[in-house]
Amino acid sequence: MRLHPLTSLAFAGSTAVITTAAASWPVSLAVGAGALGLSAAGGTARRLVPAAAAVLVPLGLSLLIVHGLSFPEGRTVLAQFGPARVTAEGLAFAGERAAQLSAAVLALLVFSFSVNVPDLVAALASRGVHGRFGFVLASTLTLLPAITAQAGRIRQAQESRGLVIRRGLLHKVAAFRLQAIPLVLSLVEDAGTRAAALEARGFSSPGPRTSYREVPDSAIQRLLRMLLLAAAAAAVVWRLWLAGTGG
Amino acid sequence: MPYSAEPVMAAGIREFTFHDGGGPVLQGLDVAVAPGSLMAVLGTSGSGKTTLGRLLAGWLPPGPGGNLIGFLELTGTRLQFNGDAGDPRIDPAQWGRQVGFVPQDAGAVLSTVRATVAEELAFGLENSAVGRTAMVAAVEQTAGLLGLRNLLGRHPARLSGGQLRRLAIGCAIITRPPVLIMDEPFASLDAAGARELGDLVRGLVKAGTAVVILSQMVDGVLREADNWIVLADGTVKASGTPAALEAGSPAVLAGIRRIKDGPSPGGVAPVPRSAGHSAPALELRGVSFGYRKDGRPARQGFTWQRRQGSRTTDNQSTVLQGIDLAVHPGEIVAVTGPNGAGKSTLLRHFNGLLRPTTGTVLVQGEDISGKPVGSTAAAVGLLFQHPREQLFERTALREVRFGLDRLFGQDEAGERASAALAAVGLSAAAHEQPAELPASRQRLLALATVLARKPAVLALDEPTVALDGDGLAVLDAAVRSAAAEGAAVVLVTHDLGYARSAAHRTIALDAGRLAEA
Amino acid sequence: MSSPSLTLPSPAPAAARRRRLLEILGALAIAGTYIYLVLNQPADITGGPGSASALIALSGFLVGAILLIVAVLPTLPASTLVLIPVALVLNIVLGQFVGSTLVPFYLDAIGTVLIAVLAGPAAGAATGALSSIVWSFFNPTVLPFAAGAALIGCLAGLAARYGLFRRFYLAPVAGFATGIIGGVVSAPVAAFVFGGTSGVATGAIVSAFRSMGDTLLAAITKQALISDPMDKAIVFTVVAVLVYALPRRTRLQFPFVRRHRVLAGTTNEPAAAQGSTQTS
């Protein structure tokens, strides 16, 4: 059975929220491992792992530097060089926070790398805020490779006019100006044409819409989405109540 | 008589200005389009054709788009505009159901949010809540009309230029508007594409659609039009039947290209001065090239990649096979071939933008394989299809002068820049902003930037596209004088007539191989 | 087939009022969350990974950003809406290009500020928030910064509206000030959601402040005050270069630019107010 894109989004989102609310490293590790397993089963691990690493490795290192080296509140000093004090509490804090963030990031990335974007856009109703958000999301994903390719073409055109990017900040800034100006100019002009075309095709019309693409959904999935959202909300309330009572 | 029926669309434009504080772009202009007729609006680049087309199509709504004094009339409703706050506001969606518009840059009409050609076609129907069964039937029917039926499942970003234009037309006509306006639909189409489009236009007119074509050249189906309107400087210079206008004063159609006449003012191809005696300025030896099969998903392309022409990567891996070509100083060689034959790919090998998989490229006897593109550019001037990608300066003069100072010193750079601007007839526009010039003049300006360097090899990609008659004459003269001064010129074009009249030698590129034509 | 009207009715004022209310609620959610976190911060950090603060920061800022989007997005004309995806891509593509040359900065707001200058503070705020939300598709850690990004877009639009882009040298000054405010507001997200920063270099700076005895929030705020103002000053300058390179007709097609005389040398045109919906 294919999951409705909003159902997978609800899964990923509530998992991230509940993991954050739980704030327990066994839960975090289990969720992270589960997310990696799901991604491997779905065949997206080869793309997901580098993307996740690009986010999580610098974040983890930063946490280690910030809390590992200086945690004024820490008591158990493991090592000390000058002003830097490595404390057990600092390392534990960094580790727990890293595990928690990794779990949330992985859960959400499993969704992004497995979802069928056209289905997601079709699932967001095509009108009002939803429709416009869907437009921004889908259009960005379409334009990203197109604009990247266009930037490449512009650089080729400039190189053909004798532009050699030399070393040094000033040369690079000058080269940036030469390439950014035609890019932005043509993008703004194209956007004007696209806006007119969209308007002429009824993009801003009020009134109901239909969808050419069919995205299968079911009553069970709708119920499941409600339950997942309720669970996430309950987890947040529970955690805040604990904090409120001094827990 | 085309005016026997009540017009389906009409306009009386006293004056139209943009919000840029400039003078009127259109003035004193009356148009009436009869149902089931074909009208051609002819004019040189910058004559106001596109503005008129957009205004009629509701793409440039009076008010937000500019100030209109006059009226627009569509299917019996007349809207009067006085250029003040009390003016009616056009509903572009309702207007668009009555008038379809296809802009010159067909790719810009894509919604960018639909993943297949079928969904892209259906976009306009979805927005007016057409039921799914009716929608599928309409998509099927429109696709059949435009020959897109076997492309319905493809991503719109992976269509070729010709297919993209057909899709844009499909998006405009799927709601069956009584009027269809197309801006320069024949530009950059090869002979086969132009024929197909001509047949489509005939079919639409026969079925009762009023078709208006804005064009700077007279081609095939436009000779069968019921009516021609010739625009100049934003106003009607002449109007009437094609026969009457062609028989009348030649001054009326000055500057408008007529394909069957042969575009070259000289008519006969020039004789090369010294071809064969000197060493070739450009030589390709056994060059083969294939695009890397790029299986990566589109959404991972975050970097400035060298990859280009992503539209062709999917179905063709080998584009060029064993190309041998030698071009001598003073020689003009035309490379022709249908759209998608690999002409632009070939051109990009001349200065190293693309490197051959096997074989070598020599410029003035030197292998360029290790040299950066920017330094090969001193000897090879390359002019691309889209001039606006090459232009970035504030004025035309600065644009031409860019980079010359370093090569030739202050004084000579100034002289060369002025001379190059004069050679393309843009001396008067020296202080204008390049991006604000009409398309034809942008092309000529880009040509001037190349000419100013006096390169040993001059390579032009589809130079005739978007050029009006005057522009073409200037191009022709500039190319000839460059060759006369000893440059080796390569013209890459789908326009066989132009190739034959302008070049000493014409070579056909087909399926990745060259053959003397 | 009956022929529907070819013209638009005048816009209804009731809808505009409801949207103004949403905008205010969004701004209040962001401001309230910030104040709560600043006042309550010491209680949480030492008691283990403070997930209550993380959740408050996350939900308060996110709800505020979403309310702003809900308020603004439906009111934008299509000509502004189609620019938003372009801006998001420019945030990435131009940011990456500049980022690779001028190492210490992120410069991830060029597109957002560009939209703000051309289409006004509301469009800028929506673009900033959407940029974080759409970008979180690939990097979920940017999601909590949506409110900060919206603030940058809004402030850039206000700077443009009050003429700070009319003189070239004022643009970096406005950017500098925007960076200070943006940095201060985003610091609690870094502190409470991440417990640190997303980069190694910034992490080292925070660590240095921490070892001098600062609280985490204070250390991160100080770090932000070192990098953000310069970063935004550069972004605003780049955008000023870009908008002045746009042809006159192109930049004057934007009602916001015409009405508030955003750029030097562009005439103020009172008639331009007609036809365009509320952009500010």
Side-chain angles (χ1 to χ4, degrees):
Chain A
M1 183 190 80
R2 200 172 62 164
L3 273 187
H4 189 267
L6 292 182
T7 312
S8 3
L9 178 59
F11 256 120
S14 56
T15 307
V17 170
I18 292 170
T19 316
T20 309
S24 119
W25 64 265
V27 174
S28 302
L29 288 184
V31 167
L36 283 177
L38 257 182
S39 157
T44 56
R46 270 187 52 213
R47 291 188 291 132
L48 178 135
V49 171
V55 176
L56 293 174
V57 169
L59 187 69
L61 282 178
S62 166
L63 281 171
L64 209 60
I65 292 172
V66 171
H67 303 294
L69 293 185
S70 57
F71 199 69
E73 297 84 355
R75 302 253 171 76
T76 328
V77 179
L78 300 177
Q80 187 157 16
F81 350 78
R85 285 189 325 140
V86 181
T87 62
E89 287 85 353
L91 288 179
F93 183 86
E96 283 188 35
R97 193 46 74 92
Q100 193 181 316
L101 288 169
S102 307
V105 165
L106 285 169
L108 290 169
L109 281 181
V110 169
F111 164 75
S112 341
F113 281 94
S114 65
V115 73
N116 180 332
V117 175
D119 277 356
L120 176 65
V121 173
L124 297 164
S126 55
R127 197 157 53 106
V129 183
H130 284 129
R132 289 181 158 224
F133 177 72
F135 172 82
V136 171
L137 175 68
S139 188
T140 305
L141 296 180
T142 308
L143 289 177
L144 192 53
I147 293 178
T148 310
Q150 194 180 355
R153 279 202 308 278
I154 288 175
R155 204 196 39 207
Q156 288 193 342
Q158 310 283 11
E159 285 181 358
S160 304
R161 280 189 62 183
L163 171 77
V164 184
I165 302 179
R166 281 175 293 169
R167 284 160 180 278
L169 194 65
L170 274 179
H171 291 299
K172 284 184 172 176
V173 169
F176 167 76
R177 185 181 142 258
L178 300 186
Q179 295 176 21
I181 286 174
L183 181 68
V184 170
L185 224 150
S186 68
L187 289 177
V188 170
E189 276 174 11
D190 284 352
T193 307
R194 195 175 317 121
L198 287 169
E199 291 276 37
R201 296 165 78 192
F203 179 71
S204 303
S205 314
R209 305 289 155 100
T210 46
S211 175
Y212 186 87
R213 176 177 283 262
E214 287 178 313
V215 186
D217 197 5
S218 63
I220 299 174
Q221 292 203 48
R222 275 192 287 273
L223 181 68
L224 190 59
R225 291 202 287 272
M226 285 298 147
L227 288 177
L228 285 166
L229 290 184
V236 172
V237 170
W238 170 73
R239 168 54 67 179
L240 293 184
W241 182 74
L242 274 189
T245 55
Chain B
M1 271 304 279
Y3 289 126
S4 57
E6 191 80 353
V8 61
M9 180 173 71
I13 297 165
R14 284 233 319 271
E15 194 180 285
F16 179 80
T17 45
F18 282 106
H19 289 308
D20 57 1
V25 185
L26 299 172
Q27 55 184 334
L29 194 155
D30 289 280
V31 196
V33 185
S37 70
L38 173 60
M39 176 191 275
V41 177
L42 305 171
T44 56
S45 187
S47 61
K49 294 187 308 289
T50 300
T51 308
L52 175 63
R54 288 183 178 231
L55 198 57
L56 292 175
W59 280 40
L60 196 62
N67 258 336
L68 172 66
I69 301 173
F71 72 88
L72 297 177
E73 186 181 314
L74 183 61
T75 56
T77 308
R78 178 181 282 216
L79 302 177
Q80 183 69 43
F81 299 90
N82 304 313
D84 55 40
D87 279 351
R89 296 192 304 141
I90 284 181
D91 180 345
Q94 292 304 335
W95 201 270
R97 293 180 67 81
Q98 308 295 325
V99 193
F101 183 69
V102 183
Q104 186 171 358
D105 181 6
V109 309
L110 297 184
S111 68
T112 68
V113 295
R114 289 295 180 264
T116 63
V117 168
E119 288 172 67
E120 186 67 49
L121 282 171
F123 184 76
L125 302 175
E126 292 177 329
N127 289 331
S128 47
V130 174
R132 190 157 190 287
T133 332
M135 202 146 55
V136 172
V139 166
E140 193 61 25
Q141 203 246 345
T142 308
L145 201 62
L146 292 156
L148 290 169
R149 204 163 260 167
N150 47 9
L151 296 171
L152 281 177
R154 187 173 292 187
H155 196 286
R158 299 190 185 283
L159 296 179
S160 72
Q163 292 164 341
L164 206 56
R165 184 162 298 279
R166 280 185 276 155
L167 174 57
I169 297 172
C171 292
I173 63 173
I174 194 161
T175 52
R176 305 181 153 263
V179 185
L180 174 65
I181 305 176
M182 293 194 272
D183 192 1
E184 299 288 355
F186 296 103
S188 77
L189 282 190
D190 57 16
R195 247 193 330 274
E196 284 169 18
L197 184 57
D199 291 341
L200 175 73
V201 167
R202 285 185 199 98
L204 286 170
V205 169
K206 213 171 185 182
T209 308
V211 179
V212 179
I213 291 177
L214 318 168
S215 180
Q216 56 191 6
M217 66 182 185
V218 175
D219 195 2
V221 72
L222 297 188
R223 289 174 195 279
E224 302 159 25
D226 298 291
N227 205 10
W228 281 2
I229 289 185
V230 184
L231 282 193
D233 298 321
T235 190
V236 178
K237 192 170 164 196
S239 68
T241 60
L245 286 178
E246 286 201 292
S249 153
V252 167
L253 291 175
I256 293 161
R257 285 164 64 195
R258 276 169 287 175
I259 290 304
K260 280 176 190 162
D261 301 348
S264 146
V268 187
V271 181
R273 280 194 322 151
S274 60
H277 299 300
S278 52
L282 173 75
E283 194 176 1
L284 273 68
R285 289 187 192 152
V287 166
S288 295
F289 178 77
Y291 281 109
R292 194 160 43 88
K293 278 260 179 191
D294 203 343
R296 297 174 64 190
R299 68 149 98 128
Q300 285 196 332
F302 298 151
T303 47
W304 289 56
Q305 292 166 338
R306 282 191 166 267
R307 184 172 61 117
Q308 57 101 36
S310 57
R311 278 181 195 146
T312 54
T313 45
D314 259 44
N315 34 20
Q316 312 164 270
S317 47
T318 317
V319 185
L320 304 174
Q321 286 179 43
I323 303 277
D324 290 304
L325 175 68
V327 188
H328 295 268
E331 194 183 17
I332 306 175
V333 175
V335 178
T336 64
N339 291 141
K343 301 190 297 292
S344 301
T345 305
L346 176 65
L347 201 78
R348 284 178 164 75
H349 280 82
F350 295 174
N351 66 356
L353 280 175
L354 291 175
R355 306 285 181 181
T357 322
T358 58
T360 46
V361 179
L362 295 100
V363 172
Q364 295 178 302
E366 262 185 76
D367 188 348
I368 63 162
S369 61
K371 292 170 80 179
V373 177
S375 58
T376 310
V380 183
L382 203 67
L383 187 65
F384 286 115
Q385 278 195 46
H386 300 288
R388 66 180 185 178
E389 293 181 350
Q390 270 170 297
L391 306 176
F392 46 78
E393 277 288 5
R394 283 199 300 278
T395 69
L397 184 63
R398 289 175 62 107
E399 191 74 64
V400 177
R401 214 183 148 141
F402 173 79
L404 293 182
D405 290 357
R406 202 160 30 109
L407 292 174
F408 309 109
Q410 285 278 339
D411 296 341
E412 202 192 335
E415 274 168 35
R416 278 185 179 232
S418 313
L421 273 182
V424 298
L426 287 177
S427 297
H431 298 290
E432 286 184 36
Q433 150 88 270
E436 285 176 329
L437 294 173
S440 188
R441 300 181 136 213
Q442 283 188 356
R443 277 217 93 121
L444 294 174
L445 177 59
L447 178 66
T449 65
V450 175
L451 291 176
R453 292 166 177 266
K454 301 203 165 101
V457 180
L458 184 60
L460 312 179
D461 195 358
E462 299 287 1
T464 62
V465 171
L467 277 189
D468 55 23
D470 298 337
L472 197 60
V474 169
L475 171 83
D476 219 49
V479 164
R480 278 165 205 238
S481 88
E485 286 175 32
V489 182
V490 182
L491 307 166
V492 163
T493 177
H494 67 261
D495 189 339
L496 209 57
Y498 170 72
R500 290 213 178 102
S501 69
H504 305 131
R505 194 147 69 91
T506 303
I507 303 174
L509 180 66
D510 200 10
R513 292 172 194 281
L514 282 183
E516 294 280 339
Chain C
M1 193 179 98
S2 70
S3 112
S5 165
L6 291 169
T7 53
L8 291 167
S10 328
R17 262 205 307 279
R18 212 198 63 205
R19 272 160 195 158
R20 182 64 65 183
L21 184 70
L22 286 174
E23 277 173 41
I24 293 169
L25 281 179
L28 282 180
I30 293 169
T33 310
Y34 178 77
I35 292 167
Y36 174 85
L37 288 172
V38 170
L39 291 181
N40 287 286
Q41 43 110 0
D44 204 44
I45 191 78
T46 44
S51 78
S53 299
L55 287 171
I56 289 169
L58 205 57
S59 41
F61 281 158
L62 208 53
V63 164
I66 289 171
L67 282 175
L68 282 179
I69 291 174
V70 171
V72 173
L73 207 50
T75 66
L76 295 178
S79 53
T80 307
L81 187 70
V82 294
L83 275 176
I84 293 181
V86 172
L88 303 202
V89 175
L90 286 178
N91 279 349
I92 298 157
V93 174
L94 291 188
Q96 200 172 50
F97 184 90
V98 185
S100 65
T101 54
L102 303 166
V103 191
F105 303 107
Y106 6 100
L107 303 180
D108 55 357
I110 295 177
T112 304
V113 174
L114 183 68
I115 298 277
V117 172
L118 293 177
T127 308
L130 282 167
S131 181
S132 294
I133 291 176
V134 169
W135 194 226
S136 71
F137 207 73
F138 306 102
N139 178 357
T141 57
V142 302
L143 187 62
F145 292 103
L151 189 65
I152 300 285
C154 182
L155 291 173
L158 289 174
R161 181 176 173 160
Y162 293 106
L164 294 178
F165 278 84
R166 261 175 246 156
R167 302 214 186 285
F168 200 85
Y169 59 85
L170 286 179
V173 177
F176 198 86
T178 303
I180 292 176
I181 303 172
V184 168
V185 169
S186 293
V189 173
F192 297 117
V193 179
F194 299 115
T197 61
S198 55
V200 177
T202 45
I205 301 174
V206 173
S207 181
F209 282 120
R210 281 280 278 160
S211 57
M212 292 175 214
D214 279 337
T215 63
L216 188 59
L217 180 61
I220 289 178
T221 306
K222 284 180 184 169
Q223 177 269 321
L225 286 179
I226 290 176
S227 56
D228 282 29
M230 255 334 264
D231 180 70
K232 294 301 176 290
I234 295 173
V235 167
F236 275 51
T237 312
V238 168
V239 169
V241 169
L242 291 175
V243 287
Y244 277 105
L246 289 177
R248 202 178 149 71
R249 186 178 296 171
T250 308
R251 58 193 201 221
L252 285 176
Q253 86 191 24
F254 295 94
F256 176 76
V257 176
R258 292 201 303 269
R259 199 182 320 149
H260 299 291
R261 211 166 65 80
V262 167
L263 302 171
T266 56
T267 50
N268 194 4
E269 214 179 333
Q274 60 147 311
S276 61
T277 46
Q278 56 279 13
T279 341
S280 54

